[in-house]
């Protein structure tokens, strides 16, 4: 059983952690504003660890001795410290790689070395699916040893390793009480509420700008569902690991964003009819069934503009543009598609009974213009009364150009984002999320 360990960075944290029911305590004495002479507080109901990342001198050794004599169960000592073998059977021997996660056999060698000096603890910077796979592969080997170990991923992407610490077999999972001591660390309250939580998330590359975690986590908070939505970035080479990662970390659903909406399809086992027709997937469930909820998001944003029989310009020919082409085809619009790579616009237009147009040939003649590319590809295409939407949010150069040209109705990708997210949430949880809370979270993320 993984112990949720409250990281104490100040004496005032102790009472809070006790009230919250912490199962273990790590006293980060180096983070205290001043280390008090009396450290009898290191004896608590529950396991206690004393850590002090300070200069290697005599006083450090004395502090560890004092901590153990005062009732601490363990001292945490770095693997490169001269003190690592000073307190046999009372040491957590720790290793941190703040840059990367090595491959799983290197992780195992690191653990073999750490085990010589006590309970081994290693934390690695996690940046994507390959790192998560190395951690879960290593955990499978470590579990077989039958010995205690502490294994975790650092950084925002490492969050899933903290939520699934039990599945990884980690003896301890560290949680903050007032001050976070590491990026990706959950608060004690969060960690307690996320035991046995369902996990959903998003893959794509890069994922730095997405508001999806904010709006999905707001939907979880507003519902009775114990869940967390995490970021799982995947480079093109890593995407193939998605099914394995979903299984290893027990992930119930994934959104797929730029640039993987089409590339993800060969990894899936079945599709709903719209994903099949669109030829792109933005939602995957735990059975690896692919769905497309983007077209429903576009409908939520643009139905008011009544595209039927109207001249519509779609900019882009990627996964999101495919959902838009499907929507405009169903709406009986007169659709024109342009794209950086003209050939892709031509191929998409052929599939959806539309017309392809080169960027340099564009004229200000459309009633609705939808940008499904991440950039502003054309500027002199606006008329005052056209409806302009960019899938990008919260604002964009494209929308600024439209406003500068006097366009009255200018929409960002906000409505689409929330509507497609709500549909994904329903697929995964069979529950209708609170869209008002999602909207508030979007507005909060924008600030
Ligand atoms: P995708 O499948 O990778 O397609 C990208 C499209 O953008 C392609 O047409 C590509 O043109 C074009 N493009 C990419 N980089 C470009 C550049 N530097 N200059 C010119 N054109 C470029 O991506 P996607 O999933 O369709 O996403 C497209 C955009 O829509 C993204 O910004 C995404 O965040 C946004 N989106 C928003 C929502 C929402 O809910 N608001 C939903 C889905 C998507 P080529 O064919 O020439 O490569």
């Amino acid at each position: 059983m993984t112990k949720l360990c409250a990281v104490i960075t100040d004496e005032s944290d102790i009472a809070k952690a006790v009230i919250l029911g912490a199962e273990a305590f790590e006293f980060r004495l180096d983070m205290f504003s001043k280390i008090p002479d009396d450290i009898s507080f290191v004896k608590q109901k529950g396991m206690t660890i004393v850590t002090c990342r300070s200069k290697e001198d005599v006083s450090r050794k004395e502090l560890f001795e004092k901590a153990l004599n005062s009732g601490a169960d363990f001292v945490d000592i770095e693997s490169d410290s001269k003190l690592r073998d000073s307190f046999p059977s009372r040491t957590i021997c720790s290793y941190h790689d703040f840059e990367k996660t090595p491959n799983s056999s290197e992780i195992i060698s690191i653990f073999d070395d750490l085990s010589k000096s006590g309970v081994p603890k290693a934390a690695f910077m996690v940046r994507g699916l390959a790192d998560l796979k190395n951690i879960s592969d290593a955990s499978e080997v470590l579990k077989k040893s039958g010995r205690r170990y502490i294994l975790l991923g650092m950084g925002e992407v490492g969050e899933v390793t903290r939520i699934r610490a039990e599945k990884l077999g980690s003896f301890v999972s560290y949680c903050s009480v007032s001050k976070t001591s590491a990026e990706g660390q959950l608060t004690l309250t969060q960690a307690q509420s996320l035991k046995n939580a369902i996990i959903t998330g998003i893959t794509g590359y890069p994922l730095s700008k997405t508001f999806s975690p904010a709006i999905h986590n707001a939907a979880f908070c507003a519902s009775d569902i114990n869940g967390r939505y995490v970021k799982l970035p995947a480079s093109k080479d890593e995407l193939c690991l998605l099914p394995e990662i979903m299984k290893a970390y027990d992930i119930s659903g994934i959104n797929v964003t730029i640039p993987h909406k089409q590339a993800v399809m060969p990894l899936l086992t079945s599709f709903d009819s719209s994903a099949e027709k669109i030829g792109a997937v933005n939602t995957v469930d735990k059975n690896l069934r692919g769905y497309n909820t983007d077209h429903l998001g576009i409908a939520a944003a643009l139905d008011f503009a009544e595209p039927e029989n109207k001249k519509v310009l779609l900019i882009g020919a990627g996964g999101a543009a495919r959902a838009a082409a499907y929507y405009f085809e169903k709406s009986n619009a007169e659709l024109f598609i342009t794209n950086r790579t003209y050939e892709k616009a031509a191929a998409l237009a052929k599939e959806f009974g539309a017309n392809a147009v080169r960027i340099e040939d564009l004229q200000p003649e459309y009633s609705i213009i939808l940008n499904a590319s991440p950039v502003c590809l054309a500027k002199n295409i606006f008329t005052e009364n056209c409806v302009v939407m960019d899938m990008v949010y919260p604002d964009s150069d494209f929308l600024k150009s439209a406003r500068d040209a006097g366009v009255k109705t200018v929409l960002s990708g906000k409505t689409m984002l929330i509507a497609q997210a709500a549909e994904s949430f329903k697929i995964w949880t069979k529950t209708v999320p609170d869209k008002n809370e999602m909207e508030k979270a979007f507005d909060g993320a924008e600030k």
Side-chain angles (χ1 to χ4, degrees), residues 169-406:
S170 185
F171 170 46
V172 165
S173 181
Y174 296 88
C175 316
S176 62
V177 177
S178 54
K179 206 191 293 168
T180 309
S181 60
E183 200 193 353
Q185 195 171 69
L186 300 165
T187 65
L188 180 57
T189 315
Q190 273 177 325
Q192 287 167 330
S193 72
L194 290 175
K195 269 194 170 176
N196 308 316
I198 70 158
I199 298 181
T200 58
I202 182 164
T203 194
Y205 199 84
L207 286 178
S208 46
K209 290 183 186 155
T210 179
F211 285 15
S212 291
I215 62 174
H216 276 274
N217 284 324
F220 276 132
C221 286
S223 75
D224 296 333
I225 302 159
N226 180 14
R228 184 82 177 161
Y229 186 97
V230 298
K231 280 188 189 178
L232 299 166
S235 66
K236 280 188 179 147
D237 293 342
E238 288 174 302
L239 183 65
C240 59
L241 301 174
L242 185 66
E244 229 178 306
I245 293 298
M246 288 180 73
K247 194 160 172 229
Y249 290 89
D250 193 9
I251 293 172
S252 306
I254 286 285
N255 278 138
V256 184
T257 189
I258 186 169
H260 299 323
K261 285 179 198 248
Q262 289 165 272
V264 78
M265 294 186 80
L267 305 173
L268 307 181
T269 50
S270 67
F271 303 97
D272 82 339
S273 58
S274 60
E276 190 119 53
K277 177 81 184 26
I278 291 167
V281 159
N282 78 325
T283 305
V284 177
D285 72 11
K286 62 171 185 265
N287 300 316
L288 297 180
R289 182 169 170 80
Y291 305 78
N292 194 304
T293 67
D294 277 341
H295 72 101
L296 299 170
I298 297 164
L302 281 181
D303 271 357
F304 83 96
E306 299 176 342
E308 188 169 357
N309 296 325
K310 288 194 177 145
K311 225 170 168 177
V312 172
L313 176 66
L314 170 62
I315 306 172
R322 296 186 72 83
Y326 173 78
Y327 164 72
F328 287 122
E329 185 191 43
K330 279 206 309 177
S331 311
N332 292 318
E334 190 190 348
L335 180 62
F336 293 78
I337 304 176
T338 193
N339 189 41
R340 170 176 68 177
T341 311
Y342 173 77
E343 292 68 29
K344 288 194 197 164
L348 185 60
K350 198 167 166 206
E351 264 185 76
F352 287 90
N355 313 281
V357 53
R358 292 182 189 278
I359 293 169
E360 55 276 21
D361 294 337
L362 290 172
Q363 299 294 328
E365 56 183 329
Y366 302 98
S367 301
I368 300 171
I369 301 175
L370 174 58
N371 184 26
S373 87
V375 292
C376 179
L377 278 176
K379 283 186 175 164
N380 300 322
I381 51 172
F382 305 112
T383 55
E384 233 178 62
N385 293 322
C386 64
V387 170
V388 175
M389 173 174 154
D390 195 343
M391 289 194 187
V392 173
Y393 54 81
D395 202 1
S396 65
D397 289 343
F398 183 73
L399 293 181
K400 279 182 203 122
S401 304
R403 279 194 294 269
D404 289 348

Side-chain angles (χ1 to χ4, degrees), residues 14-299:
I14 300 170
K16 288 184 212 157
V18 169
I19 291 167
L20 290 171
E23 296 159 344
F25 302 78
E26 183 196 34
F27 295 93
R28 280 293 306 261
L29 295 184
D30 52 317
M31 293 179 82
F32 278 45
S33 48
K34 184 174 180 303
I35 302 174
D37 288 335
D38 178 5
I39 57 164
S40 55
F41 55 72
V42 300
K43 188 170 174 55
Q44 293 290 332
K45 242 193 207 163
M47 187 182 82
T48 62
I49 305 164
V50 167
T51 302
C52 191
R53 310 255 181 257
S54 60
K55 247 191 0 224
E56 191 86 308
D57 56 17
V58 183
S59 65
R60 187 166 188 250
K61 186 169 184 198
E62 285 170 0
L63 180 67
F64 287 142
E65 274 163 354
K66 187 172 166 185
L68 291 171
N69 291 335
S70 304
D73 294 296
F74 293 100
V75 286
D76 178 313
I77 300 180
E78 306 82 342
S79 58
D80 58 357
S81 163
K82 285 190 295 215
L83 299 178
R84 63 178 272 177
D85 294 316
S86 303
F87 309 102
S89 75
R90 306 282 296 274
T91 299
I92 290 176
C93 189
S94 63
Y95 176 92
H96 294 79
D97 188 330
F98 294 100
E99 293 303 317
K100 62 177 190 314
T101 298
N103 66 42
S104 57
S105 32
E106 280 176 61
I107 295 178
I108 299 302
S109 318
I110 290 166
F111 272 92
D112 284 347
D113 171 57
L114 299 174
S115 306
K116 291 175 192 152
S117 304
V119 177
K121 168 189 167 185
F124 303 100
M125 182 54 74
V126 173
R127 300 186 194 277
L129 298 190
D131 294 342
L132 289 173
K133 178 172 158 49
N134 285 327
I135 287 183
S136 69
D137 285 354
S139 78
E140 290 306 317
V141 177
L142 293 169
K143 274 187 232 171
K144 286 188 191 128
S145 74
R147 288 195 305 245
R148 291 188 296 195
Y149 61 89
I150 302 168
L151 170 63
L152 60 123
M154 293 186 286
E156 195 180 27
V157 186
E159 186 182 343
V160 68
T161 68
R162 295 175 187 269
I163 303 171
R164 287 292 185 251
E166 183 96 45
K167 200 161 193 298
L168 293 174
S170 185
F171 170 46
V172 165
S173 181
Y174 296 88
C175 316
S176 62
V177 177
S178 54
K179 206 191 293 168
T180 309
S181 60
E183 200 193 353
Q185 195 171 69
L186 300 165
T187 65
L188 180 57
T189 315
Q190 273 177 325
Q192 287 167 330
S193 72
L194 290 175
K195 269 194 170 176
N196 308 316
I198 70 158
I199 298 181
T200 58
I202 182 164
T203 194
Y205 199 84
L207 286 178
S208 46
K209 290 183 186 155
T210 179
F211 285 15
S212 291
I215 62 174
H216 276 274
N217 284 324
F220 276 132
C221 286
S223 75
D224 296 333
I225 302 159
N226 180 14
R228 184 82 177 161
Y229 186 97
V230 298
K231 280 188 189 178
L232 299 166
S235 66
K236 280 188 179 147
D237 293 342
E238 288 174 302
L239 183 65
C240 59
L241 301 174
L242 185 66
E244 229 178 306
I245 293 298
M246 288 180 73
K247 194 160 172 229
Y249 290 89
D250 193 9
I251 293 172
S252 306
I254 286 285
N255 278 138
V256 184
T257 189
I258 186 169
H260 299 323
K261 285 179 198 248
Q262 289 165 272
V264 78
M265 294 186 80
L267 305 173
L268 307 181
T269 50
S270 67
F271 303 97
D272 82 339
S273 58
S274 60
E276 190 119 53
K277 177 81 184 26
I278 291 167
V281 159
N282 78 325
T283 305
V284 177
D285 72 11
K286 62 171 185 265
N287 300 316
L288 297 180
R289 182 169 170 80
Y291 305 78
N292 194 304
T293 67
D294 277 341
H295 72 101
L296 299 170
I298 297 164

